[in-house]
Amino acid sequence: MKIAVLDDDQVQLQAISQIVEKAGYRPSTFSRGHALISALRRDTFDLLIVDWNLPDRSGIEIVGWVRANLTPPPPMLLVTSRVEDDDIVAALNAGADDYLAKPISPMVLEARIRALLRRAYEHVASPAEREVYDDIVFNVSTTTVVRDGVSITMTPKEFALARLLFRNLHRALSRTYLLETIWGNEPHLNSRSLDMHISRVRSKLNLRPQQGYRLTPVYSYGYRLERSNAEPGQDTAPQPESVGQ
């Protein structure tokens, strides 16, 4: 999972990033609020760790921006040297999901990260042999998919991509996030491979509005899978492409 870390203190930034990486997650570091906001406009993060005191925007302002502009917003952990009750209340009221005072204990930070991710992505944190989404069943141990009782042959990458999309229903996922999560750091990967895989997943699983799901591009960002208003098998009018924020 991908975690954004925002802190203008380079020592703290590096320390938190190392804790995140050691815990098995992918950290992306930022030292200014505007840089994080710019990244959030084009990329997907599963969790934000945000310092309160920043030279350009406060952590509270960042939390507010995320709540107002990202749907659904990722969980946010505010870290700061402010420890008064009024500060904690202000941070939580502003929309932070948790609050951690400096100096930071690596063990406590890792535990808070895992707790936030577990609450936000329960289906990801607790993997099962079978994942069921309406009439679509992912058999994890055999990497096979069944829809409405019919077995569908998929490549390992198609299976992983489809499963990632279903685990993030109604959430726009950036191209970068999809590529990094499914393909890792393959240096020669053509980004068109993602589009081809998306097309194959859409076709093989019949992800059409009249079949209960809509898989659409998000302009200049990535893709979003969402449930359509129609029940599976019900005819609906064509839907427009999603537009980025």
Side-chain angles (χ1 to χ4, degrees):
M1 303 190 86
K2 195 170 182 177
I3 296 177
V5 182
L6 171 62
D7 199 310
D8 65 315
D9 184 324
Q10 290 300 314
V11 174
Q12 286 286 334
L13 188 64
Q14 184 65 21
I16 295 173
S17 177
Q18 289 176 352
I19 295 168
V20 169
E21 190 168 19
K22 186 177 179 182
Y25 306 111
R26 305 195 309 270
S28 294
T29 58
F30 304 89
S31 58
R32 294 293 185 272
H34 73 270
L36 174 57
I37 288 176
S38 178
L40 288 168
R41 293 183 187 276
R42 65 179 186 272
D43 203 355
T44 305
F45 297 95
D46 298 297
L47 173 71
L48 308 182
I49 301 175
V50 180
D51 186 28
W52 186 320
N53 296 316
L54 298 163
D56 56 344
R57 294 195 181 198
S58 72
I60 292 291
E61 288 179 286
I62 300 295
V63 168
W65 185 93
V66 171
R67 290 286 177 195
N69 291 276
L70 301 185
T71 304
M76 291 175 280
L77 172 62
L78 196 67
V79 295
T80 180
S81 56
R82 303 188 183 197
V83 294
E84 297 296 327
D85 288 348
D86 288 347
D87 294 324
I88 297 174
V89 170
L92 297 176
N93 285 343
D97 296 280
D98 202 354
Y99 183 101
L100 187 59
K102 295 180 179 180
I104 294 173
S105 161
M107 291 179 60
V108 172
L109 175 58
E110 182 175 341
R112 296 289 182 88
I113 291 171
R114 294 192 187 281
L116 286 169
L117 292 174
R118 186 166 57 247
R119 290 201 298 268
Y121 313 104
E122 183 177 356
H123 52 290
V124 177
S126 303
E129 284 297 305
R130 297 169 73 251
E131 295 180 15
V132 181
Y133 304 88
D134 300 320
D135 62 339
I136 299 176
V137 180
F138 289 85
N139 295 299
V140 179
S141 59
T142 59
T143 63
T144 57
V145 183
V146 175
R147 178 157 201 188
D148 197 22
V150 178
S151 182
I152 300 167
T153 301
M154 305 187 82
T155 68
K157 287 288 192 290
E158 290 168 356
F159 179 90
L161 178 58
R163 188 176 173 216
L164 180 64
L165 290 166
F166 273 91
R167 285 180 158 198
N168 290 277
L169 272 174
H170 305 288
R171 182 185 182 205
L173 301 178
S174 72
R175 297 178 66 86
T176 299
Y177 182 90
L178 291 167
L179 288 167
E180 288 179 353
T181 303
I182 303 302
W183 281 272
N185 296 318
E186 296 184 24
H188 304 297
L189 180 68
N190 187 332
S191 63
R192 292 184 61 185
S193 294
L194 173 60
D195 301 316
M196 291 190 304
H197 278 74
I198 287 285
S199 179
R200 290 171 186 165
V201 167
R202 181 190 289 114
S203 177
K204 288 185 176 184
L205 295 183
N206 199 11
L207 302 178
R208 312 287 181 183
Q210 60 269 30
Q211 294 299 322
Y213 290 96
R214 183 185 301 113
L215 176 54
T216 56
V218 179
Y219 181 70
S220 296
Y221 187 80
Y223 289 93
R224 177 192 287 114
L225 176 66
E226 55 193 354
R227 284 189 175 92
S228 65
N229 293 327
E231 294 295 327
Q234 178 182 338
D235 289 337
T236 62
Q239 298 294 322
E241 291 186 356
S242 301
V243 178
Q245 298 179 24

